[in-house]
Amino acid sequence: MESMLSPHDALASLIWQIELGATEAIGDAPINRYELPEKVAKPAVVPKTEVKPAALTAPSLGAGVDPVEVARAAAAAAMDLEGLRAALGAYPHCDLRRGARNLVFSDGNPAARVMIIGEAPGRDEDQQGKPFVGRAGQLLDRMVQAIGLSRGAQAPQDAVYITNVLPWRPPQNRDPNAEEIAMMRPFVARHVGLVDPAVIVLMGNISCEAGLGQRGITRLRGQWAEAYGKPALPMFHPAYLLRNPAAKREAWADLLALKARLREAGA
C-alpha cells in the first residue's frame, strides 16, 4: 500500500525514530531466519554514515567549538531584527531546524512596550510561520485585549510584540532540552535588546528557564523579576489555561498587574 505520509511527516517520523534510539535501517534483501546460519547470505555491510540521511547529519563543530559561543557571536553581530532573523536561519547547530517547516520569528509591533516570550512553536505556528496562532494564540489575543492591548495595534502603547524561546517546532511538540534552550538564549537576549520593551511577559516554564534560569511557573507566576535586563512577569502559558480553566483567575490577576505596571510607567 502506498504511503500517505508527506515528505515533511516522513522526515519528522524518521527524526523521532532516531531520538528513540534506532541506529540501523532494514536491508533491501529479505533474509530467511529459519535457514541454518551457514546458509544465510550475509547482507552487504553498509557504513553507518551512509544509513543516516544527509539532511539529518549535524555539521561537524570541530574540536573545541562551542555551539553556544557560536550563537553568542551570531546574535551579537545582528544589528537589527532582519539581521537577527537571518542569523537564526543560518545557525546550523540546532537540529530542531531540520524537522521544522518554517522558522517562527515574531509577530506584532516591534515598537510595543510589552514583549511576550513564549516557549516553542506548535503545529499551527510551524505551518504559518508565526507565533501563537493556534487555539493558545487565540486565547492570548483575548487575554491582552482584555487590558486594552493587541498584536495588531499601531500605537506602541496599545501593542504587544510576540516571540518564542525556540523558533523551530520540536518533534511531537516535546519540551526543548537544556542544550537547545542554551543555544537559543543568546538570540532571545539579542531580540530583547533590539526591541527594547518596557516590560517582558514570560509565558510558561521554558520561557522562565531561559529568562530566569528556573522553572516552577505555579510558584513564579505573578512575581515581578528581571530577565534580559528588563522587568519580567512570569505567567501561565495559554495552552496551560486551556487544559486548566480554573487557573484563568490567577492569569487575570497577572494581567491586571501588567496593566498597573504599564500605567505606573506612563503607558
Side-chain angles (χ1 to χ4, degrees):
M1 182 176 180
E2 185 178 355
S3 173
M4 300 299 292
L5 290 177
S6 69
H8 172 76
D9 291 337
L11 178 59
S13 175
L14 182 57
I15 293 173
W16 179 243
Q17 292 178 51
I18 291 173
E19 289 180 349
L20 289 177
T23 58
E24 296 181 338
I26 298 175
D28 293 332
I31 297 176
N32 187 349
R33 302 293 181 183
Y34 293 97
E35 290 184 356
L36 294 176
E38 60 269 21
K39 293 183 179 180
V40 177
K42 293 184 179 181
V45 177
V46 180
K48 289 187 177 181
T49 54
E50 294 182 16
V51 173
K52 289 185 178 181
L56 301 181
T57 304
S60 175
L61 297 180
V65 176
D66 183 352
V68 176
E69 288 300 325
V70 174
R72 288 195 184 105
M79 295 295 102
D80 53 29
L81 292 177
E82 284 303 316
L84 184 64
R85 184 187 184 109
L88 270 169
Y91 182 74
H93 304 312
C94 184
D95 286 343
L96 293 178
R97 67 196 296 269
R98 303 175 190 281
R101 293 186 179 184
N102 286 298
L103 185 152
V104 180
F105 187 66
S106 67
D107 195 19
N109 186 346
R113 294 170 57 81
V114 178
M115 182 174 185
I116 298 174
I117 303 176
E119 299 182 333
R123 181 188 61 184
D124 294 326
E125 289 77 14
D126 183 39
Q127 290 177 343
Q128 298 186 38
K130 289 185 178 182
F132 285 95
V133 294
R135 290 183 63 221
Q138 294 166 13
L139 177 56
L140 176 61
D141 286 341
R142 294 196 297 271
M143 289 167 64
V144 296
Q145 286 169 4
I147 58 171
L149 302 177
S150 168
R151 74 170 83 192
Q154 297 298 315
Q157 66 270 19
D158 300 327
V160 294
Y161 182 72
I162 306 171
T163 189
N164 281 315
V165 173
L166 273 77
W168 300 289
R169 180 193 182 192
Q172 310 301 318
N173 285 350
R174 66 163 173 80
D175 282 349
N177 61 42
E179 291 76 14
E180 291 161 348
I181 295 172
M183 283 188 283
M184 293 299 102
R185 188 179 289 115
F187 292 107
V188 179
R190 184 58 178 153
H191 206 156
V192 173
L194 291 170
V195 174
D196 193 24
V199 297
I200 294 171
V201 175
L202 302 175
M203 287 282 186
N205 269 321
I206 302 303
S207 185
C208 287
E209 180 177 347
L212 304 176
Q214 54 184 318
R215 294 197 185 195
I217 189 61
T218 303
R219 171 177 49 86
L220 294 171
R221 59 136 296 268
Q223 307 293 324
W224 283 97
E226 181 176 305
Y228 312 109
K230 299 290 183 179
L233 181 64
M235 289 184 61
F236 288 130
H237 195 283
Y240 175 84
L241 297 177
L242 289 173
R243 299 190 301 269
N244 301 274
K248 290 181 180 180
R249 185 171 185 174
E250 287 87 352
W252 175 240
D254 296 343
L255 287 169
L256 292 178
L258 174 61
K259 183 177 181 179
R261 185 73 175 235
L262 293 172
R263 186 186 303 115
E264 291 171 2

